[in-house]
Amino acid sequence: MSSYIKQLTCVMLALSITALTGCGSDDDGNVATESPVWCKAPETLTEDGTACEFIPQQCNYPEVPDPDAAGICIMDTNAWIDGSNGITMPAPSYIAGPGELVVYYQIDDASIDLSAWGIHHWNNADCSSWADFGADEGTAWGVPTTPDGVDENFGAYWILNIIDAPNCVNFIPYDNDSLQTQDIIYDISTPEQNPTGNLYVLDLVADDAFADFIIPHPRTFPSLVVPGGASLTCTAPEVLNEAGDACIADPTVLETFVPAETTLHLRGGFNDWSAEEGSDYQFDYNDGVFTLVAAIPASVDAYEFKVADLNWSEPTSFAAMETEGDVALGEAKTLMVGEGEGENLKITVTADANYQFTFDANDPENPTLTVIEVTYDGVMYVKGSMNDWSNTTPMTYEGDSIYSFVMALDVTEVDAPYEFKIADSNWTEATNFGAAVGEEALVVAEAKTLVFGEGIAQNITLEIATAANYKFTLDATDPAAPVVTVENAIPYGNVDLLLKGSMSEWGGVSDGYTFSYADNHYTLYAVIAAGEHEFKIADADWTATSDIAGVDAESADVIIGEALTLAVKSTTGENANLKMDVAADGFLMFDLDASNKVSPVLTVSEFTPYQARTMYLKGDMNGWGTDEAYAFTYDLGVYTLETEIVAGTYSFKIADADWSGDSTIGPVTSGDVVNTLGDVLTAGLAEDTGDQGNLSITVDTTATLVFTVNAITPDMPELTVSVK
């Protein structure tokens, strides 16, 4: 039986020491103190603080004070007081006669048909009161005694025979399938225990296999509700409804993990596993990524923690895989979902510092956690007129006290520059950085030292002449006076870089020799003829800021497959032509890593598109299977297949054996795309375009067709189908 325990208040007297001056002391000058009075619950201190007293707990019917535990309220098991709480108790269908015990069983799920239930009852060495069985006898499990009826108020009931001098009874109501109560043992040896001959079992949760309340007087579920607080208990994840008379699904618990709709907290040894809205341990969220920074003191023992919401909801509680709880600084760890599953994460902190926790939920089923040490004790943002002064994307901590942030900026109007500051999400005084008074203007590509503090740090102003992505860099080597720089995020600005040399006749914009750009990398795929080549990488106008070549003549030899650090002419004043010996005609990839734009790194390597996999024609002409008769041949970036096709219309794609996303070629736009014989069609890869449908070809008469895929630009291959 569950009980509703009222809150108790235990008051302890604070020890008061009387000061020497103005307070009494003994003749020897010693301070006179009074012995404190300590009260043990449920007693409390009297108003004058000199003694303990017990004030009986006030209980709301149907709860009454527990005679065996002062200060606790328990459910009354006597007959219902008619009219209490507006309830008149109905009469049961059957009252036990001499030699009978009637068991009523009710469950709080109206959808369950109790007429199909039965009762398993038996005698054993401890309880032997059933008259129909001998010692250690009873019903067989699966062959229960069927109900004698179903009362609309009290449920199914069984009229059972008992001996003249009973002790106790064993019984289990169950549905002979999946639902049952616990093993109920009830003492019926005295009139106090068995005043009516009837037992009323109220099972509060249908699937909990637990009889929550048993009483020898008629009672219904509504009669268990306590005004101002309920004795009705619910088993998680259910909770009481607002009226306190039924169990419902907890409306605050999330059923699925939707990152954009979830607030997560860091919960562990850092903060006694607690979580509060707006606390320092609540993550900021943006675009699938949760971020927080916490100041954590060094500890000999590892801190244990998890990532979870306020309610420890099952879909939004994240822990470590079994035996994989240790978190290493700077290393991403994949977490598993489920409260109670997995094990606590553990991190050892050897120095008092600020630590950034980044929880990447872009793959909600396989989120990752990365912890790094950072300079400031909050997540830092660029906040200004370009983003409504909001906490949008956090700055990225690159290490060595460097923070960065990239965003698109439009050209500003005359006398209307952008205004911004760099601050944490709460505009904390010590991390609210701006310009000194009179020094508000920031020029692109020039550094400015910032000051902090409300009223001291002024808005920084920034004029933009060319629309582009701009990188904001905050150098916090001196945390109290960080330096900000804003420059074009593309390392060499809004210009196209070209491979200019003997292979391209040192010309301007040459077909096939223009680099593509993404994430600080300039990439070019090109067929290079055998021979010795000299070249540079530059824009069409040979601008010094994007004239890239060897540091000097001795450091200008490009070896295929090896990285080489280059120099930019505007930085070094001069540079030397690069030299490369190509033994045989080859399809090469030129990768210029400009993460450090002053000293970019070039790697030239032999390249075969689509991970060097065998590519196949797959479609209606061959049942969409992987058929070796439809395998392409490959040479220098071009795939070719000759095959006879019977007249008709065919849908198809070109893919590797496993339909890999980076090796499946189809239409760029949605819907089937017709490839007209002889025309060149630009296609795309499934990993970039998704499943946009199929390619299609119509053949009027049976013919040998040549399928050609020019993969010089691998992610935008050109497809031609022609008649041989």
Side-chain angles (χ1 to χ4, degrees):
M1 181 184 74
S2 62
S3 64
Y4 179 75
I5 302 177
K6 301 291 187 181
Q7 181 180 9
L8 301 175
T9 302
C10 179
V11 180
M12 295 165 50
L13 179 64
L15 180 61
S16 176
I17 300 177
T18 307
L20 199 59
T21 303
C23 299
S25 64
D26 61 18
D27 293 339
D28 296 324
N30 297 318
V31 176
T33 63
E34 295 183 11
S35 298
V37 179
W38 302 89
C39 296
K40 184 177 181 180
E43 289 188 335
T44 58
L45 199 64
T46 57
E47 190 171 347
D48 61 9
T50 61
C52 297
E53 65 178 353
F54 171 66
I55 300 176
Q57 177 67 48
Q58 297 298 311
C59 300
N60 295 328
Y61 188 79
E63 288 191 336
V64 294
D66 186 347
D68 299 320
I72 294 178
C73 297
I74 61 173
M75 186 62 65
D76 184 19
T77 59
N78 295 305
W80 181 258
I81 300 174
D82 189 47
S84 294
N85 300 338
I87 296 174
T88 296
M89 195 62 59
S93 298
Y94 188 91
I95 300 295
E100 292 178 339
L101 181 71
V102 179
V103 175
Y104 283 86
Y105 175 74
Q106 180 65 295
I107 195 167
D108 66 337
D109 188 338
S111 66
I112 294 178
D113 179 12
L114 288 173
S115 65
W117 282 53
I119 194 170
H120 174 48
H121 55 304
W122 70 98
N123 289 331
N124 59 23
D126 298 318
C127 297
S128 54
S129 301
W130 299 119
D132 295 332
F133 306 121
D136 296 320
E137 290 182 352
T139 57
W141 189 260
V143 188
T145 299
T146 58
D148 290 287
V150 177
D151 186 293
E152 65 177 357
N153 298 302
F154 306 109
Y157 62 91
W158 294 265
I159 305 169
L160 306 171
N161 298 317
I162 57 175
I163 61 177
D164 291 338
N167 48 16
C168 57
V169 290
N170 293 298
F171 62 95
I172 301 175
Y174 70 110
D175 71 350
N176 204 26
D177 184 13
S178 60
L179 299 178
Q180 69 177 73
T181 70
Q182 65 175 2
D183 179 2
I184 298 173
I185 303 173
Y186 197 84
D187 184 359
I188 59 171
S189 61
T190 67
E192 289 76 21
Q193 289 292 118
N194 182 28
T196 64
N198 287 13
L199 293 182
Y200 299 85
V201 180
L202 286 83
D203 199 339
L204 295 172
V205 180
D207 60 356
D208 193 36
F210 187 85
D212 290 85
F213 194 70
I214 306 171
I215 192 170
H217 296 280
R219 293 293 293 272
T220 58
F221 287 112
S223 71
L224 299 180
V225 177
V226 180
S231 282
L232 181 61
T233 59
C234 300
T235 301
E238 291 191 326
V239 295
L240 281 171
N241 64 359
E242 198 168 318
D245 59 2
C247 295
I248 61 172
D250 187 346
T252 67
V253 173
L254 299 175
E255 296 181 1
T256 58
F257 178 37
V258 181
E261 300 175 4
T262 306
T263 301
L264 291 179
H265 301 259
L266 189 67
R267 310 184 68 169
F270 322 106
N271 57 357
D272 295 327
W273 297 90
S274 65
E276 297 180 8
E277 288 287 354
S279 77
D280 291 340
Y281 293 93
Q282 178 176 312
F283 283 86
D284 291 354
Y285 174 78
N286 182 268
D287 197 21
V289 178
F290 296 82
T291 311
L292 76 78
V293 175
I296 300 176
S299 175
V300 175
D301 299 323
Y303 288 99
E304 296 193 14
F305 66 97
K306 286 184 177 180
V307 175
D309 67 357
L310 282 173
N311 301 301
W312 290 106
S313 303
E314 187 74 15
T316 50
S317 297
F318 302 92
M321 308 288 186
E322 293 291 349
T323 72
E324 297 182 9
D326 291 337
V327 175
L329 290 178
E331 296 182 8
K333 177 175 289 294
T334 300
L335 305 188
M336 63 182 295
V337 66
E339 168 55 17
E341 301 295 330
E343 67 174 33
N344 292 340
L345 295 155
K346 306 179 187 69
I347 189 168
T348 301
V349 175
T350 58
D352 297 350
N354 301 313
Y355 294 89
Q356 179 173 293
F357 293 74
T358 302
F359 183 79
D360 188 337
N362 279 296
D363 180 356
E365 295 182 0
N366 297 286
T368 61
L369 178 71
T370 306
V371 185
I372 59 175
E373 184 177 338
V374 296
T375 304
Y376 295 116
D377 62 356
V379 181
M380 302 300 291
Y381 296 88
V382 173
K383 301 196 281 190
S385 56
M386 64 282 288
N387 59 8
D388 295 326
W389 298 92
S390 63
N391 300 326
T392 51
T393 306
M395 299 190 80
T396 299
Y397 186 75
E398 298 182 357
D400 296 328
S401 299
I402 302 296
Y403 292 80
S404 66
F405 172 67
V406 175
M407 73 179 308
L409 297 180
D410 293 326
V411 176
T412 54
E413 297 180 4
V414 177
D415 298 327
Y418 287 110
E419 295 188 30
F420 72 96
K421 282 186 173 182
I422 296 177
D424 67 2
S425 58
N426 297 317
W427 296 99
T428 305
E429 185 82 3
T431 47
N432 178 356
F433 295 108
V437 175
E439 299 178 5
E440 292 85 356
L442 174 66
V443 178
V444 171
E446 294 185 7
K448 178 179 288 294
T449 300
L450 303 183
V451 296
F452 68 89
E454 187 64 32
I456 298 174
Q458 307 300 305
N459 291 346
I460 306 163
T461 62
L462 177 67
E463 294 183 356
I464 297 296
T466 304
N469 288 330
Y470 286 85
K471 182 177 182 179
F472 293 70
T473 302
L474 185 73
D475 184 342
T477 302
D478 180 352
V483 177
V484 65
T485 306
V486 178
E487 55 189 340
N488 196 310
I490 300 176
Y492 305 111
N494 296 345
V495 297
D496 289 330
L497 291 188
L498 307 171
L499 184 67
K500 305 179 77 170
S502 57
M503 66 283 289
S504 61
E505 300 180 355
W506 295 93
V509 179
S510 303
D511 290 341
Y513 294 100
T514 303
F515 284 81
S516 61
Y517 172 80
D519 299 330
N520 288 331
H521 282 259
Y522 293 84
T523 308
L524 167 66
Y525 302 91
V527 176
I528 304 297
E532 295 182 356
H533 295 276
E534 292 192 22
F535 65 97
K536 282 187 172 184
I537 298 171
D539 66 354
D541 298 324
W542 292 99
T543 307
T545 54
S546 53
D547 182 335
I548 304 165
V551 174
D552 50 42
E554 289 72 31
S555 304
D557 290 331
V558 175
I559 299 174
I560 293 177
E562 296 184 9
L564 178 66
T565 299
L566 307 185
V568 180
K569 191 171 184 178
S570 61
T571 301
T572 59
E574 293 293 335
N575 54 26
N577 288 349
L578 296 165
K579 298 177 182 179
M580 180 174 64
D581 187 4
V582 179
D585 293 354
F587 186 47
L588 303 181
M589 178 179 73
F590 294 74
D591 177 70
L592 184 71
D593 183 350
S595 298
N596 181 344
K597 71 175 187 178
V598 174
S599 301
V601 177
L602 175 67
T603 305
V604 180
S605 56
E606 295 179 351
F607 182 78
T608 302
Y610 314 126
Q611 312 300 318
R613 299 173 179 129
T614 301
M615 301 293 283
Y616 298 88
L617 178 67
K618 297 184 175 187
D620 295 337
M621 63 283 292
N622 59 5
W624 294 90
T626 300
D627 189 335
E628 293 302 324
Y630 292 87
F632 283 80
T633 59
Y634 171 77
D635 183 51
L636 296 178
V638 178
Y639 293 82
T640 308
L641 168 66
E642 292 186 9
T643 184
E644 184 176 89
I645 301 293
V646 176
T649 297
Y650 301 88
S651 292
F652 69 95
K653 286 183 178 177
I654 298 167
D656 68 331
D658 298 323
W659 292 99
S660 305
D662 58 359
S663 308
T664 296
I665 299 171
V668 175
T669 56
S670 63
D672 290 356
V673 175
V674 177
N675 190 189
T676 304
L677 288 173
D679 287 352
V680 177
L681 174 69
T682 300
L685 294 179
E687 70 172 2
D688 299 324
T689 63
D691 187 2
Q692 300 290 355
N694 299 313
L695 299 165
S696 178
I697 191 75
T698 298
V699 182
D700 295 330
T701 59
T702 300
T704 297
L705 300 185
V706 180
F707 290 78
T708 303
V709 178
N710 186 335
I712 297 296
T713 305
D715 57 350
M716 291 191 298
E718 294 180 342
L719 172 66
T720 306
V721 183
S722 57
V723 178
K724 183 175 180 180

